[in-house]
Amino acid sequence: MLSLYYSLSTIIKNKTSTLVKGSFLALIASASHAQAEQTCELASNNTDDTKRYIQCLDQVIADLQRDQKMWINKLTMDLEKIKEDSGNSQLLPIFNRSIKNQERYLEDSCRWRYLQKMPNSTKAAIAYKQCEIEILKNHVQVLQRPLK
């Protein structure tokens, strides 16, 4: 999958058509979406199981973040195309601002859940990561909605 991503980067740098770029991004996003559906289960509260569970959550988060980034890139290219076609230059700055606001929302929303579980740092870390997974899943779903 990584080689496919690098191939895609090369194609994008060579400025092929927006349709081709978007198609490749959607293809990669679909592939990584399947990986992001990984489920993590905490079998017991012993240290080794907890460590594996947290590592599993970290992998799900990394997959979702990669998926999110690909959809953001696709939408950015789509909005740039709309700007070229229609002259509407307002869309992209607002979209970029919404992405920054989404990042702040995720951090703040999960931070209070983390703090609520303190002083147990393990439970707090798990709560933060579970929150992050839910918000990322929801955001990716929103990003996947067609523009038209």
Side-chain angles (χ1 to χ4, degrees), residues 10 15 24 39 53 56 58 90 119:
T10 304
K15 299 188 188 251
F24 276 122
T39 57
Y53 179 66
C56 180
D58 285 337
Q90 297 175 0

Side-chain angles (χ1 to χ4, degrees), residues 4 10 13 22 24 30 32 34 49 60 63 78 83 85 90 97 104 119-120 127 130 132 134:
L4 183 59
T10 304
K13 286 178 185 170
F24 276 122
S30 297
S32 70
D49 285 345
V60 170
D63 292 344
D78 290 349
K83 179 182 173 183
D85 293 347
Q90 297 175 0
R97 186 174 66 222
R104 277 189 229 119
N120 185 330
Q130 289 171 333
E132 190 172 1
E134 283 304 309

Side-chain angles (χ1 to χ4, degrees), residues 1 25-38 60 63-64 66-68 70-71 136-138 140-141 144:
M1 178 136 126
L25 283 173
L27 175 68
I28 292 172
S30 297
S32 70
H33 182 69
Q35 290 176 347
E37 290 302 314
Q38 172 184 358
V60 170
D63 292 344
L64 285 167
R66 183 175 46 250
D67 206 14
Q68 178 190 42
M70 283 185 273
W71 281 103
L136 283 169
K137 281 181 181 179
N138 290 335
V140 169
Q141 286 177 347
Q144 289 174 338

Side-chain angles (χ1 to χ4, degrees), residues 7-108:
S7 297
L8 175 61
S9 296
T10 304
I11 290 170
I12 290 172
K13 286 178 185 170
N14 292 336
K15 299 188 188 251
T16 58
S17 76
T18 301
L19 180 62
V20 172
K21 289 184 240 177
S23 298
F24 276 122
L25 283 173
L27 175 68
I28 292 172
S30 297
S32 70
H33 182 69
Q35 290 176 347
E37 290 302 314
Q38 172 184 358
T39 57
C40 304
E41 293 185 27
L42 181 57
S44 70
N45 286 330
N46 74 42
T47 306
D48 289 339
D49 285 345
T50 303
K51 181 180 176 183
R52 280 190 292 277
Y53 179 66
I54 290 173
Q55 288 172 337
C56 180
L57 292 176
D58 285 337
Q59 184 58 53
V60 170
I61 290 167
D63 292 344
L64 285 167
Q65 287 172 332
R66 183 175 46 250
D67 206 14
Q68 178 190 42
K69 183 65 177 163
M70 283 185 273
W71 281 103
I72 289 170
N73 289 341
K74 181 193 180 307
L75 285 169
T76 299
M77 286 187 289
D78 290 349
L79 293 173
E80 286 172 349
K81 177 75 172 135
I82 290 171
K83 179 182 173 183
E84 289 173 13
D85 293 347
S86 70
N88 187 345
S89 62
Q90 297 175 0
L91 299 175
L92 194 55
I94 294 171
F95 174 73
N96 290 333
R97 186 174 66 222
S98 76
I99 298 304
K100 284 184 177 46
N101 289 340
Q102 176 68 21
E103 291 168 3
R104 277 189 229 119
Y105 170 77
L106 183 147
E107 290 170 9
D108 289 344

Side-chain angles (χ1 to χ4, degrees), residues 98-147:
S98 76
I99 298 304
K100 284 184 177 46
N101 289 340
Q102 176 68 21
E103 291 168 3
R104 277 189 229 119
Y105 170 77
L106 183 147
E107 290 170 9
D108 289 344
S109 187
C110 296
R111 186 177 300 128
W112 72 262
R113 296 173 197 285
Y114 174 88
L115 293 172
Q116 187 263 333
K117 296 289 185 182
M118 289 302 281
N120 185 330
S121 61
T122 302
K123 285 185 179 180
I126 289 170
Y128 188 96
K129 291 173 188 303
Q130 289 171 333
C131 172
E132 190 172 1
I133 288 168
E134 283 304 309
I135 291 174
L136 283 169
K137 281 181 181 179
N138 290 335
H139 191 229
V140 169
Q141 286 177 347
V142 169
L143 293 170
Q144 289 174 338
R145 291 184 192 146
L147 289 177

